[in-house]
Amino acid sequence: MNLVKTPRDSEPDDVLETSMATVASALSEPSRVSILCALMDGRAWTATELSVVAGIAASTASGHLNRLLSNGLIICLTQGRHRYYSLAGHHIAGLLENLMGVSMGTPKAPVSSTPVCLRYARTCYDHLAGELAVSIYEFMLHENWLAADGSELTLAGKRHVEKMGVVLNSRTRRKFCCPCLDWSERRFHLGGDAGSALFTLFLQKEWVTRTQGYREVNVTDSGRVAIYRLFKLKIT
């Protein structure tokens, strides 16, 4: 017996497909992509700042921001007379990071002009990304601090990171620990709440500093010493 789909049966799929196409359309404009990439640093930006980053007029930026808002990709925060925009959450950051990876893997993609310093260490929303983050992740795997699939910290891993001073949140609603595909390295770095907590420690200890307005992360002299001591990674 053949089952025939009625219009009502197919409606949920149609709604999902239409929603996916709408989100994809919102991501199809280069200026909007520039805005989203800027927001990947995890901070809130004003419309004026985002218009400068995207290289467009403030009025044009306003229209793009409304489009991104209506599709749930960003949120708007009001503080006094000022309005600030940020990504709608970690899931949007993950979507963008995966999209970057797919784009870099396209055979016809142009040669990347991303600065070497950005490739070495940068933010991926609220955690560390780039060559340094990938090397730390691989060290943690090698030392059995992480499960083989990167989905959780082992008991030894929890003990080591807590000894460093990392504050883990066992009640987090997001993934506690997960591998995040690094778009420039094509390998994984540490994501989830554990990745965020590790990066927070790096900032608090001033082992790394952030470049205002950019995703670039710089390793300090004390950071070089600490990272070598903790992860056996020599930074020149």
Side-chain angles (χ1 to χ4, degrees):
M1 180 177 67
N2 294 325
L3 296 177
V4 178
K5 270 191 173 183
T6 65
R8 172 169 290 186
D9 292 333
S10 62
E11 185 177 352
D13 289 337
D14 291 344
V15 170
L16 175 61
E17 290 164 1
T18 300
S19 297
M20 289 174 66
T22 301
V23 172
S25 177
L27 292 167
S28 66
E29 210 286 329
S31 295
R32 289 196 288 272
V33 173
S34 294
I35 288 171
L36 291 170
C37 287
L39 295 176
M40 281 286 284
D41 72 349
R43 289 176 282 197
W45 294 53
T46 66
T48 300
E49 291 169 336
L50 291 169
S51 68
V52 173
V53 167
I56 55 179
S59 57
T60 304
S62 178
H64 287 315
L65 289 168
N66 286 334
R67 179 74 177 274
L68 295 172
L69 279 167
S70 65
N71 282 277
L73 296 171
I74 64 173
I75 57 174
C76 180
L77 308 169
T78 302
Q79 186 171 334
R81 293 181 300 170
H82 302 286
R83 302 180 72 186
Y84 297 89
Y85 297 88
S86 63
L87 292 185
H90 307 95
H91 61 299
I92 303 300
L95 171 65
L96 295 172
E97 193 76 11
N98 287 334
L99 183 58
M100 290 175 186
V102 172
S103 301
M104 288 292 289
T106 304
K108 294 182 180 179
V111 177
S112 175
S113 59
T114 304
V116 174
C117 58
L118 193 62
R119 283 176 168 267
Y120 183 71
R122 65 180 183 276
T123 55
C124 177
Y125 196 54
D126 63 353
H127 58 270
L128 190 64
E131 181 184 339
L132 175 59
V134 168
S135 297
I136 290 174
Y137 181 85
E138 291 180 347
F139 173 87
M140 294 177 74
L141 279 177
H142 183 266
E143 296 296 313
N144 295 316
W145 293 7
L146 288 170
D149 62 357
S151 63
E152 62 180 347
L153 288 171
T154 62
L155 290 177
K158 287 182 181 179
R159 185 168 61 251
H160 277 91
V161 298
E162 287 177 343
K163 187 177 180 181
M164 290 180 204
V166 175
V167 179
L168 299 173
N169 180 10
S170 60
R171 297 184 178 180
T172 180
R173 292 185 177 182
R174 63 188 291 197
K175 288 183 179 179
F176 174 72
C177 182
C178 65
C180 184
L181 184 62
D182 196 283
W183 67 265
S184 61
E185 294 301 307
R186 307 298 183 80
R187 292 175 290 166
F188 293 113
H189 59 246
L190 184 64
D193 192 71
S196 176
L198 182 62
F199 184 48
T200 297
L201 176 72
F202 277 32
L203 291 170
Q204 290 174 341
K205 295 286 188 180
E206 297 185 346
W207 294 342
V208 299
T209 59
R210 302 176 68 171
T211 302
Q212 184 67 31
Y214 296 92
R215 295 177 64 191
E216 180 183 339
V217 171
N218 300 298
V219 182
T220 63
D221 290 338
S222 61
R224 291 185 180 89
V225 174
I227 289 171
Y228 179 76
R229 173 171 55 85
L230 296 170
F231 304 105
K232 303 298 183 273
L233 300 175
K234 192 170 184 178
I235 303 172
T236 56

